[in-house]
Amino acid sequence: MPAAKTLPGTEGDADTAAPAFSPLYQQIKGLLMRSLTLGEWKAGEALPAETELAQRFKVSQGTVRKALDALTADGLLVRRQGKGTFVATHSEAQVQYRFLRLMPDHGPREAMQRRFLDFRRLRAPADIARALALKAGDGVLQLRRLLLAGDTPVVLDDIWLNARLFKGLTAGRLQAYRGPMYGLFEAEFGVQMIRAEEKIRAVAAGEAEAALLGAAAGSPLLLVERRSFTYADRPVELRRGLYRTEAHYYRNELS
Amino acid sequence: MPAAKTLPGTEGDADTAAPAFSPLYQQIKGLLMRSLTLGEWKAGEALPAETELAQRFKVSQGTVRKALDALTADGLLVRRQGKGTFVATHSEAQVQYRFLRLMPDHGPREAMQRRFLDFRRLRAPADIARALALKAGDGVLQLRRLLLAGDTPVVLDDIWLNARLFKGLTAGRLQAYRGPMYGLFEAEFGVQMIRAEEKIRAVAAGEAEAALLGAAAGSPLLLVERRSFTYADRPVELRRGLYRTEAHYYRNELS
DNA sequence: AAGTGGTCTAGACCACCTG
DNA sequence: AGGTGGTCTAGACCACTTA
C-alpha cells in the first residue's frame, strides 16, 4: 500500500539529479544518520529498540532492521543479540585500534607505548588546509608522537587536527589518556572517526626522522598518509606516519 | 515450524567444537559455496533464480535471498536487478582489477602495460611451499613481469603458482591474453581468486631490481607480498611486488 | 509481457542477555 | 520472566531488463 511512500523531511535532498527512487529503508537510514550526526546517541550508547524505532518512523520492524543492518555494515553501529544496538566506538571496541594495520612479524599484536614529542597550535599551511577542507590560515593543532614496541621506536606520527573541533585539547590531556586517541576524541570532544583514506608510499628517512626512529638516515620507511572523516564525510584529521618495517608490516585484506 | 531444521548433508561439519547453532540461511550459504567450489556455476555465469533455488532447497525465497546476499557481501556473487545473480569475476568486472590498489598521484587510473621477463617451472623452495601449503619440492610456476605506466616501469612482480592447478600455462599464453591475469586463470584453468592477504613493507632496491625498475640502487620501494586464495581458503598464488611510489601510491580505505 | 532481483509488511518463533 | 536482536515464512507489489 505505501508504494511511493516518502517520509517527511527527506524529500528536499535535491543534491544532484533526482536519484529516481529511494527505498524506504534508505530514507530511514538517512534519518538515523542525521540523529547520529546531531549526537542524539553518542559513541558506545544504545539506540532505542527496533520496535520502538519502527513506531517512531511509522514503518514495519523489518524495514527498520534493514536500515540498522546497513549502518552496521558501514561500521557506524554494532549489534549485540539480546542486548541492543550500539553506536560503534574506538574505545572498548571488539577490535581495539580499528584503524591500526601494523602487525608484528612474529607473535600477536602487542600494545605499543606512546611518547608525545610536540604539541602546538598554528595556522594551517595550504596543503593541510586543503586536506582538512579549511581556509589557509585557519587554526589547526599539530602534534608529533612516537609509538614504540618495547624499547624500539616503530612509528613516528605527525598529526593535524581541525582546531575548532578540539578546543581545550592539551599535551597533558593526551599524555594522561589511556586507550586509543580516537577514544579520547569521542569521549571528550564528541568527534567520531567514521572512516579514513590512506595513501601509502615508500620513502627514504630524512636526518631528523631517522634520529627519532633510531634508524639510519636514508633507510626505507613506509609513509602512511591518512585522512580521517566524521559524519557527513567531513575531514577532521590528517596524519603522516613513518613506519619502520624491519619487524612489522602493514596488513591488508582484499576481496 | 522448522525450528531446529537442518538440511541433509550439512550436519557432518564436525570441524571444531559444534557451533551450537547454525541458522538455515548459513546452511544454504554453505551448500551454495560447495556448488561454487565444485564448479556447478563458473565465473561470470548466472545462478538459478531465487524462486528456483528456494524450491531446490525446500526453504522460502527470503531465506535463499539472505544466503545470496551474504555471498554477495563476501564478494563471491554479483546481483543485478532484472537480470540475475552471477558468479563474481575478475574479467569484465564492474571494477576492473579488483585487487590492484595502485593509483597514480594525478589523473584517473591508467591501464598499465605488461612485460613478461621470465617464466619457469621449478621445485618449491621451503618458504614458497609453506605459503602455498605445498610440500617442499612440489612443482611451482615462477614468473616475473613488469608493469609500466607509459614508458616508465612502476611494478616488478615475482609470482609463484601451484603448478598442479595451472598445467599447460605458458609464457606465450600469458603474453597473448588481454585483460587481467586473474581473468585468464578463471577462464582457462577454472581457478578463481576469491580473496587475498597482503603484507606491505618499505625496502631498499637491490642492484638487479633497481636496474629493471629504472631506479637507483638503494632507493626506497614498496614491497607488497600477496597470498591469494581460492574457494575453501586454499592458497594458490604467492606474489612479491616491488612498487615505485614516486608518482603512484597504494590506496586503502579504513572503516 | 514475462522474468529477475528489490522492497515492504505482518506475524511467529528462536537465541541470547539481564534481572 | 521479559527484554533484545536474529531467523523464517508467505504474500503483495515495485523496479529493472529483455524480448
Side-chain angles (χ1 to χ4, degrees):
Chain A
M1 153 224 312
K5 183 170 183 175
T6 300
L7 295 173
T10 335
E11 318 195 47
D13 292 53
D15 255 16
T16 57
F21 167 71
S22 173
L24 240 191
Y25 78 86
Q26 285 278 15
Q27 304 176 40
I28 305 293
K29 184 183 170 187
L31 293 179
L32 290 169
M33 210 120 147
R34 195 176 62 172
S35 287
L36 287 167
T37 306
L38 296 178
E40 179 169 350
W41 313 295
K42 302 235 161 55
E45 290 180 7
L47 272 65
E50 292 180 353
T51 51
E52 197 172 326
L53 290 171
Q55 285 184 320
R56 167 160 157 186
F57 295 129
K58 306 254 183 56
V59 298
S60 82
Q61 184 181 348
T63 300
V64 167
R65 164 171 289 271
K66 197 152 187 209
L68 292 172
D69 283 343
L71 288 168
T72 302
D74 291 348
L76 299 185
L77 299 178
V78 173
R79 316 198 71 181
R80 285 200 274 267
Q81 182 172 140
K83 300 192 68 175
T85 302
F86 302 82
V87 181
T89 171
H90 288 266
S91 314
E92 65 109 12
Q94 61 283 51
V95 194
Q96 199 80 321
Y97 298 103
R98 263 166 69 187
F99 285 6
L100 183 58
R101 308 302 282 265
L102 199 66
M103 302 286 287
D105 279 343
H106 309 290
R109 180 186 293 195
E110 65 242 350
M112 284 199 275
Q113 192 198 333
R114 282 172 300 204
R115 185 175 303 164
F116 288 94
L117 304 179
D118 189 41
F119 179 91
R120 63 183 66 181
R121 191 200 153 95
L122 44 83
R123 307 205 161 277
D127 57 332
I128 307 293
R130 195 172 337 108
L132 295 180
L134 300 174
K135 288 193 289 291
D138 280 357
V140 292
L141 301 175
Q142 176 180 3
L143 62 114
R144 168 171 276 197
R145 67 155 187 192
L146 219 43
L147 295 180
L148 304 95
D151 285 334
T152 65
V154 179
V155 177
L156 174 62
D157 272 326
D158 279 307
I159 301 174
W160 292 268
L161 298 165
N162 181 339
R164 197 156 19 165
L165 298 180
F166 297 94
K167 284 190 164 76
L169 181 60
T170 64
R173 201 71 201 76
L174 282 164
Q175 216 109 11
Y177 192 79
R178 302 279 140 231
M181 196 161 65
Y182 289 169
L184 182 150
F185 292 169
E186 290 174 356
E188 305 277 321
F189 303 95
V191 178
Q192 286 201 71
M193 303 301 191
I194 297 310
R195 72 177 194 90
E197 303 170 351
E198 294 194 328
K199 297 182 178 183
I200 304 170
R201 297 182 151 84
V203 299
E207 290 285 350
E209 296 86 12
L212 289 169
L213 282 167
S219 63
L221 298 175
L222 216 56
L223 168 60
V224 180
E225 186 169 308
R226 177 194 297 175
R227 218 151 59 107
S228 300
F229 299 81
T230 358
Y231 294 112
D233 251 351
R234 181 180 181 194
V236 291
E237 184 206 51
L238 176 67
R239 187 182 282 219
R240 292 205 183 111
L242 290 172
Y243 295 16
R244 287 185 59 177
T245 55
E246 290 93 356
H248 295 77
Y249 62 90
Y250 182 104
R251 180 186 52 76
N252 201 22
E253 293 260 333
L254 308 178
S255 65
Chain B
M1 153 228 307
K5 184 170 182 177
T6 301
L7 295 174
T10 335
E11 317 195 48
D13 292 52
D15 256 14
T16 57
F21 166 71
S22 175
L24 240 191
Y25 78 87
Q26 283 281 11
Q27 303 175 42
I28 305 291
K29 184 183 172 188
L31 293 179
L32 290 170
M33 211 123 148
R34 195 176 62 173
S35 288
L36 287 167
T37 306
L38 296 176
E40 180 169 349
W41 313 294
K42 304 235 161 53
E45 290 180 7
L47 272 65
E50 292 180 353
T51 52
E52 197 172 326
L53 290 171
Q55 285 183 320
R56 169 161 154 186
F57 294 129
K58 307 253 183 53
V59 299
S60 83
Q61 185 181 348
T63 301
V64 167
R65 165 173 287 272
K66 199 155 186 205
L68 291 172
D69 283 343
L71 288 168
T72 301
D74 291 349
L76 299 184
L77 300 178
V78 174
R79 317 198 71 181
R80 286 201 272 267
Q81 181 171 147
K83 301 192 68 174
T85 303
F86 302 83
V87 181
T89 173
H90 288 267
S91 315
E92 65 111 10
Q94 59 285 53
V95 192
Q96 198 82 321
Y97 297 103
R98 263 167 67 187
F99 284 8
L100 184 58
R101 308 301 282 266
L102 200 66
M103 301 287 288
D105 278 344
H106 308 289
R109 182 187 291 196
E110 66 243 350
M112 284 197 275
Q113 191 198 334
R114 280 172 301 205
R115 186 175 301 163
F116 287 95
L117 304 179
D118 190 42
F119 180 91
R120 61 184 64 181
R121 192 202 152 93
L122 45 82
R123 306 204 162 277
D127 58 332
I128 307 294
R130 196 174 335 110
L132 295 181
L134 300 174
K135 287 192 290 289
D138 282 356
V140 292
L141 301 175
Q142 176 180 4
L143 63 113
R144 167 170 278 196
R145 67 154 188 194
L146 221 43
L147 295 180
L148 304 94
D151 286 333
T152 65
V154 179
V155 178
L156 173 63
D157 272 326
D158 280 306
I159 301 175
W160 292 268
L161 298 165
N162 181 340
R164 199 158 15 166
L165 298 181
F166 297 94
K167 284 190 165 79
L169 180 60
T170 65
R173 200 74 201 74
L174 282 165
Q175 217 107 12
Y177 192 79
R178 301 279 141 232
M181 196 161 65
Y182 289 170
L184 182 149
F185 293 169
E186 288 174 357
E188 305 276 322
F189 303 95
V191 178
Q192 287 201 69
M193 303 301 191
I194 298 309
R195 73 177 193 91
E197 301 170 352
E198 294 194 328
K199 296 181 178 182
I200 305 170
R201 298 182 150 82
V203 299
E207 290 285 352
E209 296 86 12
L212 289 168
L213 282 167
S219 64
L221 298 174
L222 216 57
L223 167 60
V224 180
E225 186 170 306
R226 178 194 296 176
R227 219 151 58 107
S228 299
F229 299 80
T230 359
Y231 293 113
D233 251 349
R234 182 180 179 193
V236 292
E237 183 204 52
L238 177 66
R239 188 181 281 220
R240 291 205 184 111
L242 289 172
Y243 295 16
R244 284 186 60 178
T245 55
E246 289 93 357
H248 295 77
Y249 62 91
Y250 183 104
R251 180 184 52 76
N252 201 24
E253 292 262 331
L254 308 178
S255 64

